[in-house]
Amino acid sequence: QVQLVESGGGLVQAGGSLRLSCAVSGGTLLQYAMGWFRQAPGKEREFVAAISWSGGNTYYADSVKGRFTISRDNPKNMVYLQMNSLKPEDTAVYYCAADSWGTGTPIRNEYDYWGQGTQVTVSS
């Protein structure tokens, strides 16, 4: 059973940066495309970024393009989300997700495994 554990969330001022990490266990990271999603209070969980199994292709929501960067380290079974120029509207619980044999997609239902989430709060 694949397990995903996020870390790195916290409280940051607007304009600041955070790096989220996702540790993957119970499987080989190479067989998964990976994604990051977020959910703010009272809102639907939304796509943030995705990366193909090789790392050669990345995808971003328009709201984070140019500010966030997704990356992966397959030998270490780790996935990262570097978040720069943070805004108060980025405040949410951020979730890491794995898509078996996928290529990277913004479609939430395509993901097979999810982490428990990490809180990111951006103050104005």
Side-chain angles (χ1 to χ4, degrees):
Q1 181 73 14
V2 174
Q3 290 187 323
L4 311 177
V5 179
E6 303 94 336
S7 61
L11 174 64
V12 64
Q13 288 189 334
S17 298
L18 282 174
R19 188 175 85 151
L20 304 184
S21 298
C22 175
V24 182
S25 61
T28 302
L29 188 59
L30 278 172
Q31 70 183 77
Y32 299 101
M34 300 297 295
W36 285 96
F37 289 74
R38 67 187 182 187
Q39 187 167 17
K43 295 190 177 181
E44 293 285 321
R45 191 172 298 189
E46 66 174 5
F47 170 74
V48 175
I51 188 166
S52 61
W53 69 270
S54 67
N57 294 297
T58 56
Y59 311 88
Y60 296 95
D62 288 343
S63 58
V64 306
K65 204 170 293 183
R67 299 187 299 122
F68 290 11
T69 302
I70 188 171
S71 62
R72 62 192 294 158
D73 186 335
N74 286 337
K76 292 184 177 179
N77 275 9
M78 296 292 295
V79 181
Y80 305 100
L81 184 69
Q82 178 66 43
M83 305 186 296
N84 298 329
S85 301
L86 282 161
K87 305 175 181 180
E89 51 263 44
D90 294 318
T91 296
V93 176
Y94 282 71
Y95 297 90
C96 176
D99 176 14
S100 300
W101 306 111
T103 57
T105 174
I107 302 173
R108 188 176 63 192
N109 290 343
E110 293 291 320
Y111 289 84
D112 304 295
Y113 302 100
W114 293 83
Q116 82 290 346
T118 185
Q119 176 70 47
V120 171
T121 303
V122 184
S123 64
S124 56

